[in-house]
Structure formats: C-alpha cells, structure tokens
C-alpha cells in the first residue's frame, strides 16, 4: 500500500509540474504581474515627483496664518555675544538694505534667493502682522509673518512650505532676542517646529540639529561680524 501511494504521489507531482510548464496561462500571468508592477512603480514615481517638484508658480499665501499650538514643538536655540550695545545690533540687523539672502547662511539646505512682501511695508519696528514670501534656490517657497517687532524681540512664524518639508512640519516659530550683557549684547535665536504628527518629533528635532543649527550658528556669526564692524 505504501509503495502504491508513493507511486501515485509521484505521478500526481510530475503531472502537476508538466501542466505548469506547458500551461499557456502561465506566461499570461507573468505578463499581468509585470504590468501591475510596472504600473505601481510608475504611480510611485509620479507621486514622488509631485512631492519633490517645486510649484509652477509662486503661492499667494492669502489665507490666515496658522494658530500657534500650546505644546508639541521641537526646538533648538543658539546665541552669540556681540561687542556692541543692543540698539546698535538691532539697528544693523534691521537695516532695510540688508537682504535676508545676504544674511542667512545655509550649509546643508537650499539658500534663500529672494523675498517678496505680501502684506505691509516691512518697516523695522512696525512689522507686526506684515507678511512676505521667501523663495529658495531649489524653486520652493514658504510664507513668513511677523508676530512681535520690538527693540528687544523679533518673533515670526513660517508656514506654507512647498518643499517635502510640508509632510513633516506644520509650521515654525522663531525669535531673535537682544539682551544687554557686559556692555554688549547677547543675541539669541530660537527655532521651533510643530510636527504634522507627534511620532515625527524625533525626526524634526534631528533636522533642527543637523540642518537648522549650522545655518543658525553661521548666521549669528555673520551678524556678530557685521554689527561689531558697524559699532566701531
């Protein structure tokens, strides 16, 4: 009985293999699977292109800015001592002829190439509520609106990222503080980003440390050199 059962099993297995090898449906299944895979890859490629591509035209940013959240932000802070009194540092850093693209020093991120006022006249000391569009070298944009504009504090919000950053960051809030220190100024710059999801906070914090921190330190160093040169 066992021999016969084994023989039957062998015949069935061989017959099944022969059928698979000779069945005309097999090439059709392979072609269908290949078509599905190709279609899926094409869809993913289009989706990736849409995520990475810069917009065809600059956003208007006409809607209201986001509301600040009570918590949930990832934050980074840097400061520099400047051998000049706060009023001199404020005056130098808020000179209307000083362009943002000349001041902000990016190392691992597309550089700022221009700004366009959208609301207000951007007069130093009177910019609360003013809004502008910031353009980067890769063709992407964001909106910036001033929240506080005083002699000791400049606070602003950024949002409306057109870059892939929009997938992980809702908005950012930043602040410059000018504090008297030993006859000079302690200039402090803080940046906070609100992740789109709480689980993304570590990734956002890593971005702040790896990309924003070098830019902030380089910019603060440039501000120190410029303000100290002006005050002498």
């Amino acid at each position: 009985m066992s021999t016969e059962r084994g023989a039957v099993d062998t015949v069935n297995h061989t017959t099944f293999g022969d059928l698979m090898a000779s069945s005309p449906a097999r090439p059709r299944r392979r072609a269908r699977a290949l078509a599905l895979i190709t279609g899926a890859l094409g869809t993913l490629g289009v989706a990736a292109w849409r995520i990475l591509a810069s917009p065809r035209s600059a956003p208007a940013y006409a809607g209201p800015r986001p509301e600040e959240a009570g918590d949930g932000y990832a934050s980074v802070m840097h400061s520099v001592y400047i051998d000049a009194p706060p009023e001199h540092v404020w005056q130098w850093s808020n000179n209307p002829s000083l362009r943002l693209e000349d001041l902000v020093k990016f190392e691992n991120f597309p550089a700022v190439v221009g700004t366009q006022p959208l609301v207000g006249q951007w007069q130093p000391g009177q910019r609360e509520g003013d809004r502008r569009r910031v353009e980067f070298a890769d063709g992407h944009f964001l909106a910036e609106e001033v929240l506080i504009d005083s002699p000791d504090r400049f606070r602003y919000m950024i949002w409306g990222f057109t870059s892939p950053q929009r997938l992980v960051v809702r908005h950012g809030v930043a602040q410059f503080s000018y504090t008297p220190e030993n006859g000079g100024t302690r200039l402090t710059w803080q940046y906070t980003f609100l992740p789109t999801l709480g689980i993304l906070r570590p990734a956002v914090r890593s971005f702040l440390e790896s990309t924003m921190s070098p830019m902030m330190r380089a910019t603060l160093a440039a501000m120190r050199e410029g303000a100290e040169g002006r005050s002498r």
Side-chain angles (χ1 to χ4, degrees), residues 85-91 93-94 124-128 146-156 174-181 184-190 223:
E87 58 269 24
H88 284 282
V89 178
W90 187 93
Q91 184 179 13
S93 60
N94 287 278
Q126 305 175 31
R127 292 167 292 189
E128 290 186 15
V146 181
L147 306 178
I148 298 174
D149 186 14
S150 66
D152 62 348
R153 189 158 54 133
F154 181 74
R155 184 177 177 84
Y156 59 97
Q175 178 172 291
F176 284 98
S177 299
Y178 303 81
T179 306
E181 181 179 311
T185 304
R186 173 62 57 179
L187 179 59
T188 302
W189 192 6
Q190 182 179 24
M223 294 178 72

Side-chain angles (χ1 to χ4, degrees), residues 31-177:
R32 191 178 302 116
L34 182 60
L36 289 173
I37 293 172
T38 302
L41 291 175
T43 300
L44 290 174
V46 171
W49 179 83
R50 288 178 176 175
I51 291 172
L52 297 174
S54 58
R56 295 182 179 179
S57 59
Y61 295 120
R65 63 171 172 80
E67 293 293 329
E68 290 189 60
D71 54 21
Y73 290 89
S75 179
V76 67
M77 180 186 296
H78 296 283
S79 70
V80 65
Y81 175 78
I82 300 177
D83 188 15
E87 58 269 24
H88 284 282
V89 178
W90 187 93
Q91 184 179 13
W92 182 88
S93 60
N94 287 278
N95 187 327
S97 65
L98 185 64
R99 301 179 304 170
L100 181 62
E101 53 268 35
D102 294 333
L103 187 60
V104 178
K105 307 294 182 180
F106 281 103
E107 296 180 3
N108 303 314
F109 201 76
V112 174
V113 296
T115 60
Q116 176 64 46
L118 301 175
V119 176
Q121 301 301 313
W122 282 86
Q123 294 296 323
Q126 305 175 31
R127 292 167 292 189
E128 290 186 15
D130 285 4
R131 181 182 299 184
R132 64 183 175 183
R133 182 173 54 237
V134 180
E135 182 178 0
F136 294 87
D138 61 356
H140 283 290
F141 301 87
L142 60 78
E144 178 183 278
E145 184 169 318
V146 181
L147 306 178
I148 298 174
D149 186 14
S150 66
D152 62 348
R153 189 158 54 133
F154 181 74
R155 184 177 177 84
Y156 59 97
M157 175 181 285
I158 61 173
W159 78 97
F161 312 99
T162 64
S163 69
Q165 189 178 4
R166 68 185 182 275
L167 302 177
V168 293
V169 175
R170 293 185 184 276
H171 66 261
V173 179
Q175 178 172 291
F176 284 98
S177 299

